[in-house]
Amino acid sequence: GNSVTQMEGPVTLSEEAFLTINCTYTATGYPSLFWYVQYPGEGLQLLLKATKADDKGSNKGFEATYRKETTSFHLEKGSVQVSDSAVYFCALADYTGGFKTIFGAGTRLFVKA
Amino acid sequence: DGGITQSPKYLFRKEGQNVTLSCEQNLNHDAMYWYRQDPGQGLRLIYYSQIVNDFQKGDIAEGYSVSREKKESFPLTVTSAQKNPTAFYLCASSPSQNPVYFGNGTRLTVT
């Protein structure tokens, strides 16, 4: 079946460092892909999305490109801030059998001042 | 402001008691979902509903029940049959297609 695999965390970076969080997926058809962010004690917030191959989603300095040839959707940010510390979830929209979204296990990011 | 409201934020119950978690949305979304999140883990789908008066089991429905009598509301009951009910519960909704939007969650502790 469809699935999403993220790099294991935690990822610890210093402020202003470059961030990459890897995400690969397995899917039949052409799913939409998403990144969500979860701050402590809160729900998930949609960070960015891409609906077809070669689309680039971007928001708040974060970017991810839908790569069909490598089945990947890696999250990147050029210069992280302490306020970016959170858990990041990669997800794909699976329409098989209904409107279900499949989430990766999440990657915790710590950014040090 | 439109959004998804979950209440209460924290809930404590004794083992053997049923408990109902509230979820209300004013986004006019057709679909609603309940997820469970355990510490350090991803989300697991409990139930989802694509339309009023209809719902389907997700991956871990055992020990849970839901109803969808109104478009805006999708309450989740955690029954005494759920073996490990202590968790963070997230309600979400979406229009006819993704993405999914989340509430701020209810942390349930059963002792």
Side-chain angles (χ1 to χ4, degrees):
Chain A
N2 295 353
S3 65
V4 174
T5 302
Q6 291 182 236
M7 63 187 288
E8 283 194 31
V11 174
T12 303
L13 296 173
S14 296
E15 209 165 22
E16 299 184 4
F18 185 87
L19 168 70
T20 300
I21 300 178
N22 290 338
C23 172
T24 57
Y25 67 90
T26 302
T28 54
Y30 304 94
S32 294
L33 300 174
F34 309 90
W35 276 101
Y36 286 82
V37 59
Q38 184 180 34
Y39 298 102
E42 297 184 8
L44 279 68
Q45 300 174 28
L46 179 65
L47 182 59
L48 53 85
K49 66 177 181 179
T51 58
K52 60 183 187 297
D54 299 325
D55 267 3
K56 178 186 283 188
S58 62
N59 186 26
K60 300 180 182 178
F62 291 90
E63 295 184 338
T65 301
Y66 190 143
R67 302 282 189 203
K68 195 171 191 310
E69 64 276 13
T70 55
T71 62
S72 65
F73 192 55
H74 305 322
L75 182 68
E76 297 181 336
K77 187 176 185 183
S79 176
V80 293
Q81 306 301 312
V82 172
S83 57
D84 293 326
S85 298
V87 181
Y88 293 82
F89 291 90
C90 184
L92 73 81
D94 175 11
Y95 292 99
T96 304
F99 304 114
K100 293 194 291 182
T101 301
I102 296 173
F103 291 87
T107 302
R108 183 174 295 276
L109 170 66
F110 291 106
V111 180
K112 302 179 296 184
Chain B
D1 282 338
I4 301 169
T5 301
Q6 290 189 244
S7 60
K9 189 170 178 65
Y10 298 96
L11 193 52
F12 298 88
R13 280 294 183 270
K14 295 291 189 185
E15 197 173 315
Q17 293 179 334
N18 291 354
V19 59
T20 298
L21 282 60
S22 170
C23 178
E24 303 279 331
Q25 55 101 356
N26 60 5
L27 299 167
N28 200 33
H29 286 170
D30 289 318
M32 296 188 74
Y33 312 79
W34 275 104
Y35 291 90
R36 170 181 172 139
Q37 186 177 28
D38 293 287
Q41 299 189 28
L43 281 70
R44 292 185 289 171
L45 182 65
I46 304 172
Y47 269 98
Y48 64 102
S49 167
Q50 297 177 25
I51 196 169
V52 174
N53 291 323
D54 188 42
F55 47 83
Q56 288 78 40
K57 293 181 178 179
D59 302 316
I60 56 164
E62 185 175 350
Y64 299 98
S65 66
V66 294
S67 63
R68 186 87 186 276
E69 297 177 1
K70 299 185 299 182
K71 188 175 186 177
E72 306 79 33
S73 179
F74 191 42
L76 173 75
T77 296
V78 184
T79 75
S80 56
Q82 168 51 234
K83 298 303 180 191
N84 297 294
T86 294
F88 189 48
Y89 290 88
L90 287 162
C91 179
S93 70
S94 69
S96 56
Q97 295 188 0
N98 280 282
V100 176
Y101 296 89
F102 286 85
N104 276 331
T106 292
R107 187 167 299 281
L108 173 65
T109 301
V110 176
T111 56

